[in-house]
């Protein structure tokens, strides 16, 4: 299974890549929504984990665009918030089509379980 | 001046009897003259009463004025003063009248060097304003010349007590900073959440891999280099958090307003780092530093504030939160026609903040420095921002210039006069590896109310070869030292602990043994003065989180420079 991580924070990308790879996934990394979309167009992924506040093209725009073009795509939104806290952004991400939302800092094991759930790998679809 | 009736009366008396056969005065005429005299006297009395009343009313009005008013002659001697002036000078009429204004207000024997009267006379201007501080009060002084037939007769000297306004202005500058902090807090929280995600995630991952519960086979076989990878990521994230805290502390510091020679470039760089953390990542933030940027006379916290406030304003001016903010710092030499009229010829350091946002109309540009003028929506800010900044900029003897075009953006430039001193200290510290300790290990007493910190500190120092003893508060440490006074070679203590603080512990130990060195660690800066620290035997002060490498290096220096022989 292929997962694309979109986040402008290099350390978060490294962490997610490492943990997802250890769980058996193939992982691609993009530093903003524009690059992420381009990578998806070139070679589709099974699931996307995207941050919301990023330069160039932020997460909301990315989720909207991906869901419009690929309605079946699975997306998990992650955010540490901005001027008004993550709880203000994540519900909007769900409204725009994200399947799940996680507030940073999140529990890595829970996130991986959620990824597996969305991909139907452990029978517990969140 | 004699009235007509009085003249007639005297004329009558002076009539010579020789010229008049009838020596007897005309009784009827005398009676008439007497009556006229009585009327005149009464009229004169009424006039005098009216004048007296007028003067009394004038004095009441003058004394009712809340401003101090003094009327001065050409030699600046007081010829009249109202009650507020007398009260302000804490004296009475006798000690004021005839004295010169500078003797009374400034307790000087000579005219003040920046006396506004000189300008009043030379420029024939009608109103000159200056500021003076008198016995703890801040006064705004208005001076007007008094002319009669085109000739200068004296001066009207009015002073208004603006101490309350001065205090409020100071509070508003601080409030504005707090407002900026509130705006920044959200942005900083974003960065902290990312940092925490990295730390917690790497710890979780390390534990998962150590327990071998991952899906892939290799996850159970955690090599030393794998573990090191996670630890490096944790340390990197920790250092990011440390930098962020240090930037917030710099910004939240109460400004002293005291100006000292300042290399401005590092202050600007630091503020830009904090800005990068606080502004949405949808905003591109660029910094351009010129060559050979010298020193200014300034307060670093206030420079920080100028930049933070101008940049957050620039961010609000960007359309939909998207756009670019360019920050520039360059030395400039102003000759010929300056970019703005207030700027005189000379060398300056120009700090500029330019955005490509909505821009401002000419009308708006004229009003932006007015207190409480704001373009923000209700609830978004008080509008004191630029007015407060203007005060700070003026105090730096700097000049601010605004260039803006509707739809294209705005550029604020601040010209700080450059200081002549050209010494640039290069303080790049070379990273050193901690010294391993020789065969006779020294004993270090570690004191901190956070058990995890004290345990970690002790473990790290032991790894470097020291013997350690731990205590969880000042009292416990003091009790141990009383019993083992000469067995401890160094105390590393936290400052902020319940009960006895680190400084108090050091002071108490000083009474028992005055050659025991102390290292004081604190999460806050400037909690202890240099003198207090020196008197208590504190040889080093560390801001938390403390790099173990630095701590070990300092301990090594203490032991190998001035080790006791006990």
């Amino acid at each position: 299974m292929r997962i694309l991580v979109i986040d402008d924070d290099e350390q978060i990308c490294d962490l997610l890549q490492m943990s997802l790879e250890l769980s058996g996934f193939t992982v691609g990394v993009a530093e903003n929504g524009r690059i992420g979309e381009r990578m998806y167009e070139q070679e589709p992924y099974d699931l996307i984990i995207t941050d919301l506040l990023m330069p160039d093209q932020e997460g909301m725009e990315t989720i909207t665009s991906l869901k419009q073009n690929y309605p079946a795509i699975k997306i998990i939104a992650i955010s540490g918030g901005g001027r008004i806290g993550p709880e203000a952004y994540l519900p909007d991400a769900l409204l725009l089509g994200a399947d799940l939302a996680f507030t940073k800092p999140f529990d890595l094991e829970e996130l991986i379980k959620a990824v597996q759930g969305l991909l139907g790998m452990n029978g517990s679809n969140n | 001046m004699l009235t007509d009736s009085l003249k007639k009366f005297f004329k009558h008396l002076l009539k010579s009897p020789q010229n008049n056969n009838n020596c007897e005065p005309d009784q009827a005429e005398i009676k008439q003259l007497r009556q006229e005299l009585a009327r005149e006297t009464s009229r004169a009395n009424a006039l005098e009463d009216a004048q007296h009343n007028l003067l009394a009313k004038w004095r009441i009005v003058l004394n009712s004025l809340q401003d101090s008013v003094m009327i001065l002659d050409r030699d600046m001697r007081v010829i009249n003063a109202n009650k507020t002036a007398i009260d302000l000078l804490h004296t009475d009429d006798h000690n004021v009248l005839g004295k010169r204004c500078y003797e009374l207000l400034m307790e000087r024997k000579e005219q003040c060097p920046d006396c506004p009267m000189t300008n009043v006379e030379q420029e024939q201007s009608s109103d000159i304003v200056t500021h003076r501080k008198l016995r703890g009060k801040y006064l705004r002084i208005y001076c007007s010349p008094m002319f009669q037939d085109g000739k200068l007769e004296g001066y009207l000297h009015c002073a208004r007590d603006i101490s309350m306004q001065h205090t409020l202005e100071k509070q508003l500058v601080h409030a504005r900073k707090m407002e900026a902090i509130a705006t920044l807090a959200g942005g900083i929280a974003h960065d902290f959440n990312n940092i925490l995600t990295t730390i917690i995630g790497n710890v979780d991952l390390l534990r998962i891999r150590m327990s071998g519960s991952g899906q892939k086979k290799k996850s159970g076989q955690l090599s030393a280099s794998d573990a090191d990878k996670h630890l490096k990521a944790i340390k990197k994230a920790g250092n990011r958090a440390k930098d962020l805290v240090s930037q917030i502390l710099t910004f939240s510091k109460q400004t002293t307003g005291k100006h000292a020679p300042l290399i401005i470039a590092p202050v600007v760089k630091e503020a830009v780092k904090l800005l990068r953390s606080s502004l949405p990542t949808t905003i591109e933030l660029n910094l351009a530093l010129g060559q050979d940027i010298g020193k200014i006379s300034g307060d670093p916290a206030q420079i920080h504030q100028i930049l933070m406030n101008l940049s957050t304003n620039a961010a609000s001016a960007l359309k939909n939160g998207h756009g670019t903010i360019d920050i520039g710092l360059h030395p400039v030499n102003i000759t010929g026609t300056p970019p703005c009229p207030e700027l005189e010829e000379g060398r300056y350091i120009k700090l500029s903040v330019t955005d490509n946002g909505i821009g401002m109309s000419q009308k708006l540009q004229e009003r932006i420095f007015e207190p409480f003028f704001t373009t923000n929506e209700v609830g978004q800010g008080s509008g004191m921002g630029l007015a407060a900044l203007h005060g700070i900029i003026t105090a730096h003897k700097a000049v601010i210039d605004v260039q803006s075009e509707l739809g294209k953006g705005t550029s604020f430039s601040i010209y700080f006069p450059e200081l002549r001193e050209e010494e640039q200290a290069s303080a790049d510290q070379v990273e050193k590896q901690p010294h391993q300790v020789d065969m006779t290990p020294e004993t270090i007493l570690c004191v901190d109310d956070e058990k995890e910190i004290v345990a970690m500190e002790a473990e790290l120092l032991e790894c470097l070869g020291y013997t350690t003893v731990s205590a969880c508060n000042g009292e416990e440490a003091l009790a141990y030292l009383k019993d083992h006074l000469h067995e401890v070679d160094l105390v590393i203590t936290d400052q902020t602990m319940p009960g006895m603080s680190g400084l108090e512990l050091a002071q108490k130990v000083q009474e028992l043994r005055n050659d025991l060195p102390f290292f004081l660690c604190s999460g806050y800066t400037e909690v202890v003065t240099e003198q207090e620290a020196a008197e208590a035997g504190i040889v080093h002060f560390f801001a938390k989180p403390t790099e173990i490498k630095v701590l070990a290096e300092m301990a090594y220096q203490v032991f190998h420079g001035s080790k006791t022989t006990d």
Side-chain angles (χ1 to χ4, degrees), chain A residues 94-107:
Chain A
L94 291 172
L95 282 174
L96 291 172
D99 297 273
L100 284 171
F102 280 80
T103 302
K104 289 179 186 174
F106 43 76
D107 187 304

Side-chain angles (χ1 to χ4, degrees), chain B residues 513-526:
Chain B
R513 183 185 149 186
N514 63 9
D515 63 345
L516 181 59
F518 267 74
F519 287 179
L520 190 70
C521 307
S522 174
Y524 306 96
T525 52
E526 294 176 3

Side-chain angles (χ1 to χ4, degrees), chain B residues 193-206:
Chain B
N193 283 336
N194 273 352
I195 290 166
L196 289 171
T197 305
T198 306
I199 295 172
I200 297 169
N202 272 288
V203 170
D204 284 348
L205 207 50
L206 197 55

Side-chain angles (χ1 to χ4, degrees), chain A residues 8-9 11-12 15 18-19 21-24 53-55 58 80-83 104-106 108-109, chain B residues 183 186-187 190 193-194 196-198 201-202 205 208-209 215-216 230 233 236-237 240 279 281-282:
Chain A
D8 61 319
D9 190 306
Q11 282 203 288
I12 302 275
L15 175 74
M18 208 187 303
S19 50
E21 279 177 358
L22 284 168
S23 298
L53 295 176
M54 293 178 291
E58 35 90 2
R83 292 187 176 203
K104 289 179 186 174
F106 43 76
L108 211 47
E109 282 183 89
Chain B
T183 313
H190 170 266
N193 283 336
N194 273 352
L196 289 171
T197 305
T198 306
N202 272 288
L205 207 50
I208 292 167
R209 295 185 75 183
Q215 209 175 60
K216 272 194 170 183
H230 292 300
K236 192 175 167 189
R240 274 172 72 191
L279 294 176
T281 47
T282 49

